[in-house]
Amino acid sequence: MPSIDLLADSAEVAHYLGVLSEKDFREARAARLEGVQRALEETRTDALVLSLGADLPWLTGYEAMPLERLTALVVLRGEMPVLLVPELEAPRVRPDDELFSLRPWAEGSDPYDMVAGLLGTAESVAVSDRMWATALLEIQGRSRQAGYSAASSLLAPLRGQKDAVELLLLARAAHITDLVAEEILAGEVPLLGRPEREVSADIAARLITHGLQRVNFAIVGSGPNSASPHHEPGLRVIAGGDPVVLDFGGVFALGEEPGYCSDTTRTVVVEQVPDGFGELYQALHVAQAAALREASSSISGASLDAVARDAISGAGFGSYFIHRTGHGIGLEEHEDPYVASVNPRPLGPYAAFSIEPGIYIPGRFGARIEDICVTGEHHAVSLNRSSRDMVIV
Ligand code: ZN
Ligand code: ZN
Ligand code: ZN
């Protein structure tokens, strides 16, 4: 991995992505499987069963449809994984003989018996956190000898350390998303007089136009709604004097490969700054910059959360910062590692996560600034590059 600094340069990132081949993706997955086998060995776990969710595409490039028929990758320690898929889904799987053997199951046969047959006498089985409870209960009912655990304890440290392919995709997703942030900051996305919902749809359309494959969300919270961190954009018409929180992101994908997420927030003010908002924004801006500066592989999620929180508390807004400072990002919009008081572990090298403190005064207004950053061996770099200054549009 060359220096992480190049991830901030959109031309460099586009260049590297342009020369990535299918072989690079296959090699990255092979390395991930080696990491999984090592983790099974180290934790003396006999088997790992992946199903719905991001663990499966991370390891195989294949994403299961969230339907009732079972898809399961059974990874036994020291053995070639087996991918069980409903027969009708099999054509969607890109086979990779070096990574897994494919076993389609026919309608009418029992895939849970097949899982039990593969698990054999396994005593410790880790299962995908996102596996449906109904599927887990079927598996547990047939393999009663085993103890079960959540796969995240095994996989979070692995998925939390992104490889070069993942970092390039995350950077590209961020750069595309920045183009829309820049359009907003330049006043090119009309806000005044439009309902939040219409602005949200506008942002979503622009994200696709600029090159994302999918939009995950486009939050537009205006006036008093800016004080609700996950506000659902509604019918409120944006007026002069409104602060507007705009938080949006989606997925960038190359070819058939699983896509990676983006997530950025900017807060702008329409026409004039309401009383008291300038001080709030200034305190937030300082806190977010401090956290970006202190981000590194060695700082813990809890300590980095405290950097932002202490700055906001010091400015007198502590009780209005009601969420964690950030979340990991990758195949999922929110994943490990969390920049939160509950995470005492170092963030580690090549982790990707948001830094998104916010200040929300109920009934009045709020603001949030969010960037995705990546840690190197020492420092960290922000993938999002649009201005964080308070902008009046
Ligand atoms: Zn959020
Ligand atoms: Zn966000
Ligand atoms: Zn976020």
Side-chain angles (χ1 to χ4, degrees), residues 158-303:
L158 299 175
R159 280 183 50 197
Q161 182 170 348
K162 266 64 182 178
D163 58 39
V165 169
E166 295 181 290
L167 290 176
L168 289 168
L169 292 166
L170 280 165
R172 184 78 185 129
H175 297 157
I176 290 171
T177 306
D178 277 353
L179 296 175
V180 179
E182 280 155 12
E183 289 172 355
I184 292 166
L185 296 172
E188 291 166 19
V189 180
L191 299 178
L192 185 67
R194 292 175 94 189
E196 294 170 346
R197 199 176 279 172
E198 192 180 308
V199 175
S200 174
D202 191 346
I203 290 170
R206 286 166 189 262
L207 289 169
I208 299 294
T209 301
H210 286 299
L212 293 190
Q213 267 65 32
R214 198 174 75 219
V215 176
N216 287 343
F217 56 91
I219 296 172
V220 179
S222 66
N225 294 339
S226 60
S228 166
H230 278 171
H231 176 66
E232 176 73 28
L235 299 174
R236 186 180 183 277
V237 175
I238 299 171
D242 279 353
V244 185
V245 172
L246 304 119
D247 181 354
F248 44 95
V251 173
F252 174 73
L254 266 188
E256 310 273 287
E257 300 295 337
Y260 281 72
C261 294
S262 67
D263 188 3
T264 191
T265 308
R266 291 294 181 263
T267 301
V268 300
V269 178
V270 179
E271 291 192 324
Q272 71 270 354
V273 184
D275 274 355
F277 186 78
E279 294 83 336
L280 180 156
Y281 193 91
Q282 181 58 22
L284 177 66
H285 192 180
V286 167
Q288 204 260 356
L292 272 183
R293 206 168 44 239
E294 295 299 319
S296 74
S297 58
S298 55
I299 195 169
S300 70
S303 299

Side-chain angles (χ1 to χ4, degrees), residues 14-299:
H15 165 75
Y16 278 98
L17 282 173
V19 298
L20 275 186
S21 67
E22 186 169 344
K23 180 162 164 281
D24 295 306
F25 283 93
R26 282 176 189 266
E27 283 174 1
R29 283 193 276 272
R32 290 171 207 162
L33 180 58
E34 277 176 33
V36 167
Q37 286 290 3
R38 263 198 310 277
L40 290 173
E41 194 64 49
E42 280 161 15
T43 59
R44 308 304 300 162
T45 304
D46 295 327
L48 172 69
V49 184
L50 303 182
S51 181
L52 301 181
D55 295 332
L56 183 60
W58 173 76
L59 195 53
T60 66
Y62 176 71
E63 185 169 4
M65 288 224 182
L67 299 174
E68 73 287 8
R69 297 182 188 87
L70 181 74
T71 296
L73 181 80
V74 181
V75 188
L76 292 169
R77 192 170 69 228
E79 292 181 29
M80 167 81 87
V82 176
L83 180 60
L84 300 171
V85 293
E87 198 168 24
L88 79 165
E89 310 279 4
R92 296 200 306 118
V93 180
R94 288 175 299 154
D96 185 340
D97 300 341
E98 287 169 23
L99 205 60
F100 59 86
S101 65
L102 180 63
R103 212 171 292 175
W105 58 269
E107 192 77 45
S109 60
D110 188 332
Y112 298 104
D113 281 344
M114 296 169 79
V115 172
L118 287 165
L119 290 179
T121 57
E123 282 175 3
S124 50
V125 179
V127 296
S128 263
D129 292 29
R130 306 281 185 270
M131 181 184 284
W132 281 0
T134 46
L136 176 58
L137 288 168
E138 293 283 355
I139 293 170
Q140 285 179 318
R142 287 166 174 77
S143 297
R144 292 179 186 277
Q145 79 291 346
Y148 292 84
S149 61
S152 55
S153 58
L154 207 81
L155 299 181
L158 299 175
R159 280 183 50 197
Q161 182 170 348
K162 266 64 182 178
D163 58 39
V165 169
E166 295 181 290
L167 290 176
L168 289 168
L169 292 166
L170 280 165
R172 184 78 185 129
H175 297 157
I176 290 171
T177 306
D178 277 353
L179 296 175
V180 179
E182 280 155 12
E183 289 172 355
I184 292 166
L185 296 172
E188 291 166 19
V189 180
L191 299 178
L192 185 67
R194 292 175 94 189
E196 294 170 346
R197 199 176 279 172
E198 192 180 308
V199 175
S200 174
D202 191 346
I203 290 170
R206 286 166 189 262
L207 289 169
I208 299 294
T209 301
H210 286 299
L212 293 190
Q213 267 65 32
R214 198 174 75 219
V215 176
N216 287 343
F217 56 91
I219 296 172
V220 179
S222 66
N225 294 339
S226 60
S228 166
H230 278 171
H231 176 66
E232 176 73 28
L235 299 174
R236 186 180 183 277
V237 175
I238 299 171
D242 279 353
V244 185
V245 172
L246 304 119
D247 181 354
F248 44 95
V251 173
F252 174 73
L254 266 188
E256 310 273 287
E257 300 295 337
Y260 281 72
C261 294
S262 67
D263 188 3
T264 191
T265 308
R266 291 294 181 263
T267 301
V268 300
V269 178
V270 179
E271 291 192 324
Q272 71 270 354
V273 184
D275 274 355
F277 186 78
E279 294 83 336
L280 180 156
Y281 193 91
Q282 181 58 22
L284 177 66
H285 192 180
V286 167
Q288 204 260 356
L292 272 183
R293 206 168 44 239
E294 295 299 319
S296 74
S297 58
S298 55
I299 195 169

